[in-house]
Amino acid sequence: MSLGAPGASATSPAGVIPHADSAWIYDGASGVGVWAQSILGYNAGAGSTNKITQIYNYGTDIEDYTAGGTLSADDGTYYDGGNKDNGIWDTGAYWSALNQGPQLANPSAATVSISPIIDGTPSTGNIDSLSATASAAFADEIADEVCADDNVSGIQFDYEPFNAESAGQQAFYTEINKDFGDAAFGCVDTAHPTGRYFSVFAFGAALAKDGAEIKTMLGNDGYFISSLYDLGTNAAGIQNGIGTGAADYPALVQSAVDTTAWYADSLGIPYAFGIPAAASDHEFVDCFGSPCTKAASGDGPDANGMLDYTEDAVHAIDSVVSNTDTLFVGTDIWDFGVWTGVNRPNNLYTQATGTSFDVQPASAPTAVLQWLQKNLPSYQHTGGAGPTNPSGGGGTTGGGSTNVLTSADNPGFEGSLSPWTCTTGTADSTTNVYAGTDALALTPTNTLTTNCQQTITGLTPSHAYTFSAELAGGTTPIVITLDQGTTDVASSSGSAYTLVSGTVTTSSTGTVTLGIQAWKQQIGTGYADNASLVSQ
């Protein structure tokens, strides 16, 4: 299946998932609630749609010392223990400072959701190596621990690398989704009548590659955070420039936003963006150690420092994400504050070579936060025109013009043929697709012409548009045509998918009837995907 141009028609996420702008916070082992006063100060000075209404405070990591064997009562995380990272105590400190205190002073004070971070890698708890049964049991153990804390609204899972093709991760997140939505482990209770939610963190390209699997893993209780930092293919420690080249940060972040929004909206996946307000492997102001390689002279951040990256990320979001896209749940600040009290350098990365480097600034500078107080993109932001198809079809043509077909028009035959009107011999197929998981299959006979049609309204009257689709004739190739009403405007007879285009003209009232057809007196099955309609 191809993915139609999404945006205004995207459905809302489940009620348990908040629309919230968020901030990552890492207090470490020696302090709890350290950044609470800074969060309160930020919100006091922020615009009504730019406030932080959720925090991701560091909770703990995933721990499994059984190497995939039988899980014990001590396996899962250290979240509810006192011997590592202060997870439950840190959450309590933030709940007290951000919620209980302000609401005692003013009962109408807004609530800040608390979603502790549980990170991990295969070296701490190898979910990927677990069987589906063991992985689900591992998820149950974690749900039992975190849902015992009434102050927890959700969990931000940062298990790296995120891999939607891993059977272990599929089973783990599917079970988390189930657990967080019922009362078996206390996740649904009086304080949380709709349960708890969770998020995963990865790059938008994961949605393009494994979107259907991710949608299943997230279910009704999960959302996807797309990283807008550490972009590109450079090795860690090599700085992304802020120039106009295709490999510079502005182009990389624009592509990442487009890819994320397009696939998330098309698949119905709630999503957020993580923006660089502090240093990461590739977006930084200073770097010390090896391997540190700054961008070419004149291409790195200027006197604005980290704000250059922050502004580019925000501008990309604002130019793409529509304020009617309710699947966009907010923007997350990397990072508000980090590693207070931890006896090691901020943002220290140890490489396979044994070398290490330190990127700065470790926490968001005051100037960046002051700018975000006025510009942080919430789901209520002014909004852009909607994403364009990153594959170059279905959302844009080679010229970059916008596809006027939206996801409501189902140009990729997502899940069904509706709202196309189709004759006998058509079907929604998953066996031969151009992109995604579904396509239109057309099977004519000696006496049966088969087609799907849809009338598009609200277009420019008496105006020419380019009607395009990916067409494939199948194993025994048949001819498939693109039509305006009953008139053929283009055709393809090859067996493999080929982009085919023709010109159609709207009526004086701005309507046009599009058709995809396989004429009778042919034997075989052909396919169509990725339809688009672009103004000439």
Side-chain angles (χ1 to χ4, degrees):
M1 168 211 100
S2 80
L3 304 171
S9 60
T11 57
S12 297
V16 69
I17 299 172
H19 283 94
D21 288 334
S22 310
W24 279 282
I25 296 171
Y26 293 80
D27 284 339
S30 301
V32 295
V34 175
W35 297 90
Q37 289 303 312
S38 295
I39 294 286
L40 291 170
Y42 172 95
N43 282 345
S48 60
T49 62
N50 310 119
K51 297 182 186 296
I52 294 169
T53 54
Q54 177 176 231
I55 62 165
Y56 305 131
N57 61 302
Y58 187 71
T60 185
D61 59 5
I62 286 173
E63 302 281 351
D64 174 23
Y65 292 114
T66 62
T70 303
L71 298 176
S72 72
D74 295 328
D75 282 310
T77 75
Y78 279 113
Y79 179 76
D80 58 355
N83 59 338
K84 187 176 183 181
D85 298 324
N86 300 319
I88 194 170
W89 310 109
D90 196 52
T91 297
Y94 279 109
W95 176 82
S96 174
L98 301 181
N99 290 319
Q100 186 180 50
Q103 288 167 7
L104 286 172
N106 176 8
S108 63
T111 296
V112 176
S113 299
I114 301 178
S115 183
I117 302 158
I118 298 181
D119 65 10
T121 67
S123 65
T124 63
N126 195 344
I127 298 175
D128 301 290
S129 70
L130 298 177
S131 68
T133 300
S135 188
F138 197 17
D140 292 342
E141 191 74 41
I142 291 174
D144 189 41
E145 292 179 14
V146 299
C147 289
D149 186 354
D150 272 349
N151 298 326
V152 169
S153 298
I155 292 294
Q156 206 281 284
F157 285 105
D158 187 23
Y159 181 85
E160 297 182 9
F162 176 78
N163 181 5
E165 297 178 9
S166 160
Q169 290 194 43
Q170 288 176 0
F172 177 83
Y173 288 114
T174 300
E175 186 74 5
I176 285 289
N177 174 64
K178 179 178 76 68
D179 290 346
F180 278 19
D182 66 34
F185 297 101
C187 298
V188 173
D189 58 15
T190 302
H192 307 89
T194 57
R196 320 295 173 99
Y197 57 87
F198 70 99
S199 58
V200 298
F201 179 80
F203 294 102
L207 294 174
K209 183 172 182 285
D210 299 310
E213 291 83 356
I214 293 171
K215 181 176 176 64
T216 298
M217 293 160 72
L218 295 179
N220 293 323
D221 298 325
Y223 64 97
F224 184 92
I225 304 175
S226 175
S227 175
L228 298 187
Y229 51 90
D230 284 336
L231 299 181
T233 59
N234 287 334
I238 298 179
Q239 185 181 36
N240 281 330
I242 59 167
T244 58
D248 283 323
Y249 183 75
L252 293 172
V253 74
Q254 191 72 45
S255 175
V257 170
D258 253 331
T259 297
T260 301
W262 177 273
Y263 285 100
D265 281 350
S266 299
L267 291 160
I269 297 173
Y271 70 100
F273 289 113
I275 62 171
S280 63
D281 270 1
H282 300 92
E283 295 81 25
F284 53 79
V285 176
D286 292 307
C287 185
F288 307 96
S290 176
C292 282
T293 304
K294 286 199 170 185
S297 178
D299 193 28
D302 57 22
N304 291 319
M306 201 66 212
L307 184 57
D308 286 333
Y309 293 112
T310 309
E311 288 181 337
D312 285 337
V314 168
H315 292 159
I317 295 170
D318 283 342
S319 71
V320 169
V321 181
S322 166
N323 62 359
T324 59
D325 181 359
T326 54
L327 286 171
F328 173 58
V329 299
T331 304
D332 303 339
I333 300 172
W334 170 263
D335 54 68
F336 197 95
V338 65
W339 294 134
T340 299
V342 177
N343 187 25
R344 54 181 168 174
N346 291 334
N347 289 4
L348 180 67
Y349 296 85
T350 300
Q351 309 305 305
T353 59
T355 59
S356 61
F357 63 97
D358 178 15
V359 290
Q360 299 288 342
S363 299
T366 299
V368 172
L369 294 176
Q370 288 172 332
W371 188 83
L372 289 173
Q373 284 177 312
K374 299 178 181 179
N375 297 284
L376 183 65
S378 75
Y379 73 101
Q380 305 174 69
H381 74 304
T382 302
T388 56
N389 190 336
S391 69
T396 63
T397 62
S401 301
T402 301
N403 182 7
V404 300
L405 300 181
T406 71
S407 56
D409 302 314
N410 197 12
F413 310 97
E414 170 73 34
S416 71
L417 300 184
S418 177
W420 296 82
T421 300
C422 299
T423 65
T424 301
T426 59
D428 185 80
S429 173
T430 59
T431 59
N432 187 4
V433 302
Y434 177 74
T437 58
D438 296 76
L440 167 64
L442 304 105
T443 307
T445 68
N446 283 331
T447 58
L448 175 69
T449 294
T450 182
N451 67 67
C452 288
Q453 289 189 338
Q454 183 176 177
T455 298
I456 308 299
T457 62
L459 305 175
T460 303
S462 304
H463 184 74
Y465 287 78
T466 299
F467 177 30
S468 304
E470 295 285 345
L471 304 180
T475 304
T476 305
I478 64 172
V479 175
I480 304 173
T481 63
L482 300 182
D483 299 342
Q484 176 174 352
T486 59
T487 303
D488 297 348
V489 297
S491 65
S492 176
S493 59
S495 59
Y497 274 109
T498 302
L499 181 63
V500 176
S501 301
T503 297
V504 298
T505 303
T506 59
S507 69
S508 60
T509 58
T511 68
V512 65
T513 298
L514 306 178
I516 301 176
Q517 182 164 259
W519 286 96
K520 62 184 178 180
Q521 297 182 339
Q522 301 185 92
I523 303 298
T525 299
Y527 302 88
D529 208 345
N530 227 36
S532 68
L533 187 65
V534 176
S535 176
Q536 293 185 0

